[in-house]
Amino acid sequence: NGFKCHCMSESHQRQLLLASENPQQFMDYFSEEFRNDFLELLRRRFGTKRVHNNIVYNEYISHREHIHMNATQWETLTDFTKWLGREGLCKVDETPKGWYIQYIDRDPETIRRQQEQERKKKQDLDDEEKTAKFIEQQVRRGLEGKELEMPVYTELNRENEEEKVTFNLNKGASTSVAASSKTSSVLGQNALKMVEGAVKRKEAAHSSGQSKEKKKKSALDEIMELEEEKKRTSRRDYWLQPEIIVKIVTKKLGEKYHKKKAVVKEVIDKYTAVVKVIDSGDKLKLDQTHLETVIPAPGKKVMVLNGGYRGNEGILESINEKRFSVTITIDSGPLKGRRVEDIQYEDVSKLA
């Protein structure tokens, strides 16, 4: 023990001598190590979430082999936090509760996903605009010919004050007939014209109503078909869902977890999942590229992960190995009982 202490004392003195010869070199080295370890912990532990800088720092110094901040170029944690913001490594903001930091992920794969999300979002907006224009056209088409022939009214005159006038009201259409021998011919002709006009208007309204009903039905059918097609073809570049069973396909974790099945317990930022390995009970945080779906035996419950029926649970009916697809029957929600064929393997997975 005395020999070890003696050797360590000499090694420590030698380190001090080297540091005294070129202190800036040692400070730059420790500063770089501290920065890299701190950012790695922030990225791995908190991702791109906004978090208080003290929380990250306390977790960092909890590790035995950490570099103390006194050995770096930053005197305080606040100085280091401000430096991260100036260098563009993190988003930082000061609040009454202190400084908060948010890691900026500049990984090419992450940037590609963000660009893909923006492109998909823009495509969805374009589809919504097309649907709105289509509905507007259908409404305008349905309103064409809505204006009906306006009724023509004739003035009712009588030459003799002693004449009696009777009114016959029939279904909202007023018909005036004068019961007078002197004006029977004139009033009779006017009454006949009014009756004929009312009949024509009624027939026109009836035929227009039928035509409008047909147009409405046709437009509704077209809109439903358009929405059905949109749902059927709408796909996302992310598919993870909680409580589904997946298979670990990455070899970066070693043979211990390769090809093992796990249950998705939590989905983070759409593309990352916290999974629990079924055999060992270990919890892992993995990207969806390191996982694949699991197809159970017919009769088991599954969940649709992509496409128009995304999020629906169903019963696996059959498996088409030649087309790498399955047929399911949805057993919950408004679409319960619907049979859906030719769903690809990667769009459905077994439920836990």
Side-chain angles (χ1 to χ4, degrees):
N1 289 337
F3 177 76
K4 289 182 179 179
C5 291
H6 176 71
C7 291
M8 291 182 68
S9 176
E10 289 184 353
S11 176
H12 181 65
Q13 290 178 1
R14 185 171 180 275
Q15 291 290 335
L16 290 176
L17 289 174
L18 292 174
S20 63
E21 291 177 1
N22 193 351
Q24 188 60 42
Q25 180 180 358
F26 275 82
M27 182 174 290
D28 292 343
Y29 170 77
F30 288 130
S31 298
E32 183 178 0
E33 288 293 315
F34 176 82
R35 180 200 65 192
N36 292 339
D37 293 344
F38 188 92
L39 288 176
E40 177 62 21
L41 173 64
L42 177 63
R43 182 193 67 81
R44 177 169 41 82
R45 178 68 176 82
F46 301 97
T48 56
K49 293 182 180 179
R50 181 173 174 268
V51 63
H52 200 286
N53 59 353
N54 267 328
I55 296 177
V56 186
Y57 182 71
N58 288 332
E59 187 164 339
Y60 170 76
I61 64 178
S62 65
H63 299 281
R64 292 183 58 186
E65 298 179 357
H66 72 273
I67 296 176
H68 202 279
M69 185 172 287
N70 290 343
T72 68
Q73 68 188 59
W74 303 285
E75 295 182 1
T76 64
L77 180 60
T78 300
D79 294 336
F80 177 62
T81 302
K82 292 179 180 179
W83 182 86
L84 290 175
R86 289 195 301 270
E87 293 296 320
L89 298 173
C90 295
K91 295 180 183 178
V92 300
D93 61 295
E94 185 179 13
T95 68
K97 296 182 179 181
W99 286 87
Y100 282 81
I101 59 178
Q102 185 177 359
Y103 180 72
I104 299 176
D105 195 348
R106 301 187 184 279
D107 184 66
E109 182 66 19
T110 304
I111 296 175
R112 184 193 66 79
R113 287 176 180 169
Q114 292 175 350
Q115 292 175 350
E116 182 67 20
Q117 288 179 4
E118 293 295 330
R119 185 189 66 79
K120 193 65 179 176
K121 185 177 180 181
K122 184 177 182 300
Q123 182 179 351
D124 291 342
L125 290 176
D126 293 341
D127 291 341
E128 290 178 3
E129 291 178 359
K130 290 179 182 178
T131 303
K133 288 182 180 180
F134 177 77
I135 294 174
E136 184 180 353
Q137 291 176 358
Q138 294 298 327
V139 172
R140 190 183 300 113
R141 190 188 307 171
L143 291 175
E144 291 178 359
K146 185 178 181 181
E147 297 181 0
L148 301 177
E149 178 187 355
M150 296 300 293
V152 179
Y153 301 98
T154 58
E155 185 178 359
L156 178 61
N157 297 321
R158 59 180 179 178
E159 297 177 358
N160 190 349
E161 293 295 334
E162 296 179 357
E163 295 174 358
K164 294 182 180 180
V165 180
T166 61
F167 296 92
N168 184 16
L169 303 179
N170 184 18
K171 294 184 181 180
S174 61
T175 306
S176 305
V177 181
S180 173
S181 59
K182 293 183 179 179
T183 59
S184 60
S185 60
V186 177
L187 295 178
Q189 293 177 358
N190 290 337
L192 182 59
K193 289 181 179 179
M194 293 181 67
V195 171
E196 292 176 352
V199 172
K200 289 181 179 179
R201 288 195 301 273
K202 186 175 180 181
E203 292 176 353
H206 183 67
S207 60
S208 175
Q210 288 182 343
S211 176
K212 185 177 180 181
E213 184 180 356
K214 289 181 180 179
K215 288 182 178 179
K216 277 186 177 180
K217 185 176 180 181
S218 177
L220 182 60
D221 290 341
E222 292 180 10
I223 293 172
M224 290 181 64
E225 291 175 0
L226 182 65
E227 288 296 323
E228 188 72 19
E229 179 68 16
K230 180 181 176 182
K231 286 183 177 181
R232 188 177 63 82
T233 58
S234 63
R235 298 186 61 81
R236 301 289 185 269
D237 61 345
Y238 52 89
W239 53 268
L240 291 171
Q241 293 283 353
E243 299 305 320
I244 62 171
I245 297 178
V246 293
K247 182 185 291 184
I248 302 173
V249 294
T250 181
K251 294 183 178 179
K252 294 182 178 180
L253 302 176
E255 294 297 329
K256 179 181 178 181
Y257 299 113
H258 187 230
K259 295 295 183 181
K260 296 294 183 180
K261 293 181 181 179
V263 179
V264 176
K265 291 299 182 181
E266 182 184 357
V267 178
I268 304 173
D269 298 332
K270 299 180 181 179
Y271 300 93
T272 308
V274 176
V275 302
K276 182 178 181 181
V277 182
I278 295 177
D279 292 345
S280 62
D282 297 342
K283 286 190 176 181
L284 306 172
K285 185 178 179 181
L286 297 171
D287 188 85
Q288 69 174 14
T289 55
H290 298 153
L291 304 168
E292 70 177 18
T293 58
V294 173
I295 305 300
K300 300 293 184 180
K301 293 197 67 173
V302 295
M303 175 179 286
V304 182
L305 308 176
N306 216 332
Y309 299 97
R310 177 187 179 94
N312 285 282
E313 298 180 4
I315 303 298
L316 184 66
E317 298 292 340
S318 61
I319 301 174
N320 190 335
E321 296 180 356
K322 294 183 179 180
R323 295 178 58 85
F324 302 100
S325 64
V326 298
T327 298
I328 70 168
T329 299
I330 298 175
D331 67 341
S332 63
L335 299 178
K336 184 176 181 180
R338 176 173 294 189
R339 192 170 186 267
V340 185
E341 300 178 353
D342 205 25
I343 301 180
Q344 298 301 307
Y345 283 170
E346 63 268 18
D347 290 347
V348 66
S349 194
K350 182 180 179 180
L351 272 171

